[in-house]
Amino acid sequence: MKRTTGPRALALIISAILLLAGCGREQAADESEDPKLLLGFSQLGSESSFRIGNTRDIEEKAEEYGISLMLENANQKQENQIAAIRSFIAYRVDVIAFSPIVEDGWDNVLREAKDAGIPVVLVDRTIRTEDDSLYESLIGADFYEEGVMAAEYLLRKADDLGKDRLNIVEITGTEDSTPMKQRHEGFFDTIGGDSRMNLLESVNGDFLRSRGAECMEYLLETYGDDIDVIYSHNDEMTMGALPKIENAGYRPGEDMVIISIDGGQEAIDILKEGKINCIVECTPMLGSILMETAMKLKAGEAVEKVTHPVERTFSDYDDIGNLEPRGY
Ligand code: AHR
C-alpha cells in the first residue's frame, strides 16, 4: 500500500479541525494508507433497531468489500450531518453517502460536494431538491408502498371484523422525513375511499420508543374506548405504546388492531404473541447495494438513480413460525 500524499495529509488536518468543531468522528479510515475506496457515511442517529441494524450492516459490508469507511453518527441533528458531509469533502473521500434525517435543506452542502467532484449517494431516505443532479443514487425503501401495504392489511381485517366504523389513531415518524410523509400518504390514499375508516388523530412520535409511549398515553386519555386501530410508523414507537395500552386495561391485538412498520426481531416476537397484528417490513440491509454503487461511481460507471429493496408484510394471517432470525 502507498503512503498518503501531501494534499491528503493537509486535508486530514482540515478535517480534524472541522471534527473538533463539533462533528465527533466515530470511526475513521487509516490515513496512512490509500484504500481501494474511501467512503464517508453520515448516519442520522441511533433511534431504532432499524437504524442500529443499518449502521451495523454498512460497517460489515464495507469490511467485506475492502472499502474504508469514515462513519459519523449525527445523533438526530441535521446540522451534524451537514458538518460531517463538509468534513468528508475536506478529507476528499471518493464517495459520500448519507441518510438524510429530513428532506429539506441539503442543496448548499451537496453543491459543495458536486463542485469538489465527489459523488453522493442517499441511503434509506430521500431529499427534496429542484436539482436531482446533486446526488447520483438513492438506495432505500419505497415508503409509500409500505403505507399501501399497511392499509391493505387493514382493509382485509375490517372485512373480517365486520364493523361499520373503525376509528384510527396514527403515530407518525420524524416530521418532514421521507418515511413519515410517504407512509402517511400511502396509507390514507389507500383507505381514503372506504367509508368505514375514520382518522381520529395523527400525533408525532419522532420514531422514538419514549415518544411512542407519550403519544399513546395522550391518545388513550383523549379517545379511550373509541380507538379501534393504531397505525404506528415504526416498531420502536409501537413497543413504547404497547405497555400503555395494557396498563389502561386493553388487550393489544384484540381490543385494538395494531399495525407497525420495520419488522425487527423484538416486534416480530411480539407479533407471534398476538399483541401486534401486522408489521410491514422495512429492511435496513442496504450495505451491499451501497458498496456496489460506490465502487461503480469510483470507476466512473453508470448507476441506478433509485433502488428499492423488496419488502413484505408479516401478519396474523401468515404462518411465521419458521421465519429466519431478522438480524436487527
Ligand atoms: O427511515 C426508516 C425509518 O427510520 C425506520 O422505519 C425507523 O425505524 C427509522 O427510525
Side-chain angles (χ1 to χ4, degrees):
M1 292 275 189
K2 282 187 279 168
R3 307 288 300 174
T4 44
T5 56
R8 180 162 277 196
L10 182 62
L12 175 61
I13 293 164
I14 296 167
S15 171
I17 292 166
L18 288 167
L19 288 166
L20 280 172
C23 208
R25 181 190 300 182
E26 283 195 345
Q27 179 186 327
D30 179 354
E31 61 273 6
S32 68
E33 295 181 346
D34 261 351
K36 170 160 113 189
L37 189 156
L38 185 52
L39 173 66
F41 175 58
S42 164
Q43 180 58 283
L44 68 88
S46 321
E47 74 283 3
S48 61
S49 55
F50 168 96
R51 190 66 50 206
I52 292 162
N54 179 247
T55 304
R56 189 172 52 235
D57 185 54
I58 288 171
E59 286 176 315
E60 285 172 6
K61 293 302 180 313
E63 177 110 32
E64 254 172 54
Y65 279 77
I67 287 174
S68 285
L69 182 68
M70 290 176 72
L71 172 68
E72 299 284 349
N73 188 324
N75 296 314
Q76 257 65 40
K77 289 199 169 67
Q78 182 176 29
E79 63 263 31
N80 289 349
Q81 291 204 280
I82 291 172
I85 294 168
R86 292 214 164 101
S87 77
F88 298 149
I89 296 169
Y91 201 87
R92 296 193 302 152
V93 300
D94 297 302
V95 177
I96 292 172
F98 75 112
S99 296
I101 183 158
V102 291
E103 289 194 346
D104 291 317
W106 302 101
D107 280 32
N108 288 344
V109 72
L110 294 189
R111 211 160 280 126
E112 290 167 32
K114 191 176 173 185
D115 291 346
I118 303 175
V120 171
V121 180
L122 306 180
V123 179
D124 171 37
R125 300 180 183 180
T126 194
I127 61 170
R128 194 159 59 174
T129 177
E130 301 277 288
D131 180 2
D132 73 359
S133 76
L134 292 178
Y135 66 94
E136 300 300 322
S137 185
L138 160 66
I139 301 163
D142 183 341
F143 298 120
Y144 185 88
E145 186 56 27
E146 291 175 352
V148 171
M149 290 196 280
E152 284 171 348
Y153 168 83
L154 182 58
L155 291 170
R156 179 177 177 188
K157 192 74 177 175
D159 290 343
D160 288 349
L161 292 172
K163 288 194 179 178
D164 295 341
R165 194 174 180 81
L166 284 173
N167 289 319
I168 303 164
V169 293
E170 181 186 33
I171 307 178
T172 71
T174 305
E175 198 71 45
D176 190 36
S177 70
T178 320
M180 180 266 172
K181 289 157 84 169
Q182 296 186 0
R183 285 172 183 169
H184 174 85
E185 284 164 17
F187 186 82
F188 288 99
D189 285 354
T190 307
I191 61 165
D194 192 308
S195 58
R196 293 169 298 181
M197 304 296 171
N198 178 47
L199 175 64
L200 293 173
E201 191 169 344
S202 284
V203 287
N204 189 282
D206 210 10
F207 286 128
L208 297 169
R209 191 179 288 229
S210 58
R211 290 283 303 131
E214 284 165 20
C215 288
M216 198 64 239
E217 201 160 27
Y218 159 77
L219 292 166
L220 286 163
E221 273 167 24
T222 311
Y223 301 103
D225 278 353
D226 288 341
I227 302 173
D228 298 306
V229 179
I230 295 154
Y231 172 41
S232 157
H233 284 200
N234 83 343
D235 288 347
E236 222 58 45
M237 297 186 297
T238 307
M239 290 180 301
L242 289 176
K244 297 289 175 189
I245 298 170
E246 288 182 307
N247 291 344
Y250 300 100
R251 293 164 306 167
E254 290 187 45
D255 301 327
M256 295 174 186
V257 176
I258 313 290
I259 303 175
S260 186
I261 299 184
D262 276 353
Q265 191 62 54
E266 189 180 355
I268 291 287
D269 291 342
I270 297 173
L271 188 146
K272 286 180 185 165
E273 286 172 34
K275 295 181 183 178
I276 296 177
N277 301 84
C278 172
I279 303 176
V280 177
E281 180 180 34
C282 181
T283 180
M285 306 306 184
L286 306 172
S288 295
I289 316 173
L290 172 60
M291 300 311 146
E292 300 279 350
T293 303
M295 288 193 308
K296 283 186 184 164
L297 287 168
K298 182 162 188 195
E301 293 169 23
V303 297
E304 293 291 333
K305 191 72 184 180
V306 179
T307 306
H308 292 314
V310 177
E311 295 178 330
R312 57 169 288 193
T313 300
F314 310 100
S315 82
D316 48 14
Y317 292 120
D318 304 315
D319 177 7
I320 53 165
N322 293 326
L323 198 65
E324 295 277 299
R326 301 292 296 150
Y328 63 103

